[in-house]
Amino acid sequence: MANTLTAESPVPAVPQVRRSVRLAAHAAALTLVPSGLWRIAVALGWDSGFTDEVLRPENFPGEGSPYLIGLSLFAEALGLLTLGLVHRWGEELPRWVPALGGRRIPVMAAVIPASLGAALVTLITVTGAFNWNDADNMGATGSPEGGHRWLMTACYLPLLAWGPLLAVVTAAYYRRRRGR
């Protein structure tokens, strides 16, 4: 698709997003779902195998439930922002946005936070993976064992892909919007 104006939109059209990039954006958003579901299950009282003072099942549902649910929703909202890098609302603010609706989003206003997010998420998740079994983490007394431990690990493992997928989608967004 050429960079031309259409009657429907005052915004120049940009090249179409490749299917592989769309899939990467959706995969990035989906990497947060398993850990979010795990936290929500804990918040609702599921026995996660923790026996420590804070996360043992007797404490849930309880005071910590809103935090676990809120963290899950916040993380997923951040993950869903990746979709903006492959959809029109990541190029032009929707018309319903007060005062700014319909305005073009500057390329770097999306690329800088997405790049920083990709780097930070990659750093956090890789560091977390290397320290997963440390005495301060899953090696601590009161941490899940056996099947509970494997399930929690399986739920958090997809997070390792979030940062790299976000980086790929961000780079594609930059190239597409800059006409390269």
Side-chain angles (χ1 to χ4, degrees):
M1 185 183 292
N3 282 338
T4 58
L5 293 177
T6 64
E8 299 161 3
S9 173
V11 177
V14 294
Q16 285 219 302
V17 178
R18 289 189 336 258
R19 184 172 190 271
S20 60
V21 174
R22 281 189 188 281
L23 290 172
H26 286 84
L30 289 172
T31 61
L32 291 111
V33 172
S35 61
L37 291 174
W38 186 90
R39 283 189 300 271
I40 290 170
V42 170
L44 297 177
W46 173 70
D47 180 359
S48 62
F50 276 99
T51 58
D52 75 342
E53 194 62 32
V54 177
L55 291 173
R56 69 175 180 240
E58 297 83 33
N59 294 341
F60 297 98
E63 274 180 28
S65 293
Y67 169 76
L68 290 176
I69 293 169
L71 176 60
S72 297
L73 295 175
F74 179 68
E76 191 57 45
L78 288 176
L80 289 172
L81 283 175
T82 307
L83 298 179
L85 299 172
V86 297
H87 288 284
R88 185 166 185 82
W89 55 269
E91 298 171 12
E92 176 186 324
L93 288 170
R95 297 239 179 253
W96 56 263
V97 175
L100 299 174
R103 291 194 183 176
R104 192 122 170 100
I105 296 172
V107 174
M108 297 314 285
V111 170
I112 290 172
S115 297
L116 291 173
L120 186 60
V121 165
T122 301
L123 176 68
I124 290 168
T125 57
V126 169
T127 301
F130 279 114
N131 298 317
W132 188 254
N133 291 318
D134 287 358
D136 293 337
N137 292 315
M138 292 299 286
T141 303
S143 293
E145 297 177 354
H148 286 110
R149 178 187 183 93
W150 285 107
L151 178 60
M152 183 178 177
T153 300
C155 287
Y156 277 82
L157 190 60
L159 291 176
L160 285 169
W162 182 21
L165 287 168
L166 176 56
V168 166
V169 175
T170 301
Y173 175 89
Y174 178 79
R175 284 192 303 272
R176 189 178 81 255
R177 294 281 313 272
R178 287 292 187 194
R180 295 180 189 162

